[in-house]
Amino acid sequence: MSERISRRKLFGLGAAGVAAAGAGVIALRAGEEEHAPTAAHVAAAGGAVPFYGEHQAGIITPAQDRLHFVSFDVITDKKAELDELMQEWTAAAARMTQGKEAGTFGAVGGLPEAPPDDTGEALGLPASGLTLTVGFGASLFDDRFGLASRRPAALAPLPKFPGDALLPEISGGDICVQACAHDPQVAVHAVRNLARIGFGRVSVRWSQLGFGRTSSTSRAQATPRNLMGFKDGTNNLKLEDEALLAEQLWVAPGDGQDWMTGGSYLVTRKIRMMVETWDRAPLDEQQQIFGRDKGEGAPLGRKAEFDPLDFAAKDATGQPLIKADAHVRLAHPSNNGNAHLLRRGYNYVDGSDGLGRLDAGLFFMAYQRDPRRQFVPVQLSLARNDALNEYIKHVSSGLFACPGGVRDAGDYWGRALLT
Amino acid sequence: MSERISRRKLFGLGAAGVAAAGAGVIALRAGEEEHAPTAAHVAAAGGAVPFYGEHQAGIITPAQDRLHFVSFDVITDKKAELDELMQEWTAAAARMTQGKEAGTFGAVGGLPEAPPDDTGEALGLPASGLTLTVGFGASLFDDRFGLASRRPAALAPLPKFPGDALLPEISGGDICVQACAHDPQVAVHAVRNLARIGFGRVSVRWSQLGFGRTSSTSRAQATPRNLMGFKDGTNNLKLEDEALLAEQLWVAPGDGQDWMTGGSYLVTRKIRMMVETWDRAPLDEQQQIFGRDKGEGAPLGRKAEFDPLDFAAKDATGQPLIKADAHVRLAHPSNNGNAHLLRRGYNYVDGSDGLGRLDAGLFFMAYQRDPRRQFVPVQLSLARNDALNEYIKHVSSGLFACPGGVRDAGDYWGRALLT
Ligand code: HEM
Ligand code: HEM
């Protein structure tokens, strides 16, 4: 799908077709001139990411700049309704990721006496790199739908980590959808239309907006900065690391449940930063906490961002340059049985906290082949010892099994699980 | 300031200068290669908006795509400290809007044992069209600073409107700053650094992020869509309407307090939308509520977005095409003693509300010469009769006197008021 085909134009064409077919649709203005899109929209265009494939898009897809993440509770107890919803959602997702409306009549189409089958706020905006990635939480595998035997062992609840201050109302959930795009309006539109389609069958449990992706997932991307001002994503699994992805990211046949083959496990952690305290910490201390310098992002004692970490290097007094409690030392694969993560987090600011402080931090997301061998040990070592802990607080947590990709128009999200 | 000059490069230069002057700054890597910025950053570049001028930037500046709005309480009771803060803020604002760091050492500069004088998360990002616009709330004119006699009559508290469901903790405030930019990270960085600089003198009362500007303020901009899916900002005051701006937007000499000459009054209203209910309303009803069609944004009965509204037009049964309770009829200048507004609002999504619904809506902002003759009558007529009221709820309110522009480097925010 070319990035020049906007929703508006598709709507015009699609709807004209419907009108020609004699259906009772409203008058259309397909031929009229479109105003020039704003700079940001042009900028954000970025074309459409293919929806069908072996893996779901939105995992190794080069991280887009904006996020709307949503977690749903399933409120129907009928498995057939859940199955039907997944089919409807998949059809809508396939359309929206290609820059089309959620429904087939076009955003404001359908019968005038019926609600439109698209909410309309993304009309005229391009696909903007939208990806929609679905995942299933452990709670979906309870008795309600007879899925208990299909639950992967890797979807075991995360342990309670030292310092956790989790709020249940913004944690967990039966089904998650990660919407990433270059334009927040496009990501919000997608989530909102999935919620609309799900009416009566799912209800929004929590949702989170994010901006300024805090990880690179490709070597072609510059490393962005998190709200502590540091480059984030330097030592990340990247789409170019093919052998490592096979080893560390994708679930392989024989890993456990077959329906997860080609999929990956997503851990989400909303991590509040005490930005006001951080902003009064000396530069030296900030750099020692991460083990990297703030300007360049280089390992302490090295010059360039991508210079390798040297945990043995010492300063003149014989102290390690990268301290024992530095974040990158504790999180590094060499300290965690060679566990890698594909981090894909976003900055968030949720206004202020009523105590005179910004409510800001990192919405951490990481994909992996098995959280029991990856996220859990890394986070245990961080939660116990990370010097950063003085400035952060984990307030929400989620773990979701994201199946392999939708293969074609006959396939749908969760088919292998539900049938 | 050219859009090619990034913070990173300025930092390199500026800091090198400081280093040459022999100050104890940290090692710098000015000469190193910078990674290519991400597509969205390039896209969002948009150059720098001039900071000095007769009026503050951020009012008729073509609306940027992202907002971080903050309201502060002043916590010092010393007028001299407030005055000093305004000088420090102005210097930082003049720098940040030109794509530089908040402080003079560069983002990670200063003494290693001191906190950096910039928080660093916008390092490497261009100015991105950042504007910072300051305003003073009525509460600043109480007895604390001896400013009671300088309070403009136009800053009278807004009346309570029918249906208001205002939360005091996210309403009002002594000083507001509106940060608009094409990149949210740049807007957030600016607000966060002002809060950092203000430590001990001001405290964040509330703050709000927004995206997808819901108004055009220039005829060169396409009209964006709000979260009800309708084009918003068609009939807005625009920077090209010079005569109307003089009549309706800018405070003129003789209007009241001299310190407000060249300024404007800002009303903010956070308006929650019941999106789930809205999404189940028929298209016909949605269109009748606004009095415009959803696809094109044309007045009902007309063809094109900018066709004039014809309130006398009737349908075949003799009913007005634009109903008596339609939003555009009630809000139109002809219904409100020729009152115009310069609307400059943003969409917001603040996650979900814990009741299964998205917490989403419009952060309405409007500038005007005198709210007593403009916002108040318009909102009274809307609050009483607008068919839209079934789907919205006003949850926060603010009114701020935004003075004229900072003239040059010797001037500062509020100087005419405070001295
Ligand atoms: C607010 C919380 C956090 C912040 C601000 C933060 C920030 C950073 C920064 C600045 C780096 C260095 C640059 C890079 O290589 O990406 C880094 C590395 C890393 N972080 Fe975090 N991080 C946070 C939480 C976490 C959590 C919860 C985990 C996983 C449990 C994690 C895992 C990692 C890993 C695996 C690395 C790479 C280490 C290496 O191999 O060099 N981080 N983080
Ligand atoms: C969630 C709340 C609101 C929504 C969704 C909304 C939406 C709209 C839309 C779609 C239009 C037509 C397009 C245009 O000319 O811009 C419009 C026009 C307008 N609105 Fe609103 N609006 C809201 C609240 C308000 C409020 C609180 C005020 C002021 C008190 C206001 C004042 C106006 C004015 C003055 C016009 C132009 C009318 C004309 O001259 O044609 N709106 N609004």
Side-chain angles (χ1 to χ4, degrees), chain A residues 363-380:
Chain A
F363 186 70
F364 174 94
M365 297 197 285
Y367 288 91
Q368 60 221 277
R369 185 167 168 188
D370 188 338
R372 296 169 300 172
R373 288 198 300 270
Q374 294 168 279
F375 178 80
V376 172
V378 176
Q379 176 57 16
L380 267 178

Side-chain angles (χ1 to χ4, degrees), chain B residues 161 327 330-333 335-341 364 368 371-384 386:
Chain B
F161 298 100
H327 183 74
L330 294 167
H332 194 265
N335 190 43
N336 297 284
N338 193 36
H340 293 250
L341 295 169
F364 174 94
Q368 59 221 281
R372 295 168 301 173
R373 289 198 300 273
Q374 294 167 278
F375 177 80
V376 172
V378 176
Q379 176 55 18
L380 267 177
S381 112
L382 291 176
R384 286 187 185 130
D386 193 353

Side-chain angles (χ1 to χ4, degrees), chain B residues 26 89 91-92 140 163 176 205 260 262 280 304 316 339 350 371 373 402:
Chain B
I26 59 155
W89 268 4
L140 194 73
C176 78
R205 182 177 172 86
M260 270 299 287
R280 296 197 295 281
D350 288 353
R373 289 198 300 273
C402 305

Side-chain angles (χ1 to χ4, degrees), chain A residues 128-139:
Chain A
S128 308
L130 175 69
T131 54
L132 294 167
T133 314
V134 78
F136 302 114
S139 53

Side-chain angles (χ1 to χ4, degrees), chain A residues 253-265:
Chain A
D255 274 4
Q257 294 283 349
D258 280 348
W259 64 266
M260 271 298 288
T261 300
S264 195
Y265 292 90

